[in-house]
Amino acid sequence: MSKTTAATLALTKAGIAFIPFPYDYDPDAPRIGLQAAEALGRAPEQVFKTLMAEVDGKPVCVVVPSDCEVSMKKLAAAFRGKSANMMKPVDAERLTGFKVGGISPFGQRKKVPTAIDETAELFDEVLINGGQRGLLVGLSPADAALATEAKLVDLVA
């Protein structure tokens, strides 16, 4: 596995410090984010999953704790929209340039508005997908928000 991805290159180019956390990816895991947290011995609420969604038909990126579900109502409100829904996996892969299970908010093919759940601020370091299956990157919540121009808001159900 390479530790150099579009995501890690984007972070490096932006001058954002991060630590790579490779782990054994299990494609059969029922919840990939939880499997990643367990593999790395981290609390699930510190390992964030990256999801692609649509608000009023426009793509957005959502980063939430791996043990939580996104509230579509809160997601729509975060982007001043009326409705939100999850993006189809094939559309998410085409838009981001990453494979499902390896989608990162950093270094996406096309930049889209991003929101990170506000609970990220409870930690000095959060782990977020590094752009490929089996690779997370650890960085401060402030740096994650800076790198993605994200807003930190309540997103979980």
Side-chain angles (χ1 to χ4, degrees), residues 52-109:
M52 299 304 294
E54 295 174 328
V55 173
D56 295 344
K58 295 186 172 104
V60 297
C61 181
V62 188
V63 183
V64 297
S66 63
D67 62 343
C68 295
E69 298 296 322
V70 176
S71 162
M72 291 299 138
K73 186 175 180 179
K74 290 178 181 178
L75 176 59
F79 291 103
R80 296 190 178 99
K82 293 181 182 171
S83 67
N85 60 282
M86 296 307 299
M87 189 179 288
K88 292 178 184 164
V90 67
D91 294 335
E93 289 181 347
R94 187 178 318 113
L95 180 72
T96 64
F98 298 117
K99 294 280 184 204
V100 169
I103 292 178
S104 177
F106 317 114
Q108 292 187 1
R109 184 177 288 152

Side-chain angles (χ1 to χ4, degrees), residues 7 9 13 25 48 51 53 62 66-67 69 74 94 100 110 116 131 140 155 157:
L9 288 172
K13 185 177 178 184
Y25 174 82
F48 281 61
L51 305 169
V62 188
S66 63
D67 62 343
E69 298 296 322
K74 290 178 181 178
R94 187 178 318 113
V100 169
K110 182 177 182 204
I116 299 173
S140 75
L155 293 168

Side-chain angles (χ1 to χ4, degrees), residues 2-22 42 104 106-107 124-131 135-141 143-144 147:
S2 171
K3 291 182 189 168
T4 302
T5 66
T8 60
L9 288 172
L11 289 169
T12 300
K13 185 177 178 184
I16 305 270
F18 67 92
I19 299 168
F21 285 92
R42 295 296 181 109
S104 177
F106 317 114
D124 293 332
E125 176 185 65
V126 291
L127 277 61
I128 301 174
N129 197 288
L135 178 65
L136 299 180
V137 292
L139 69 171
S140 75
D143 281 347

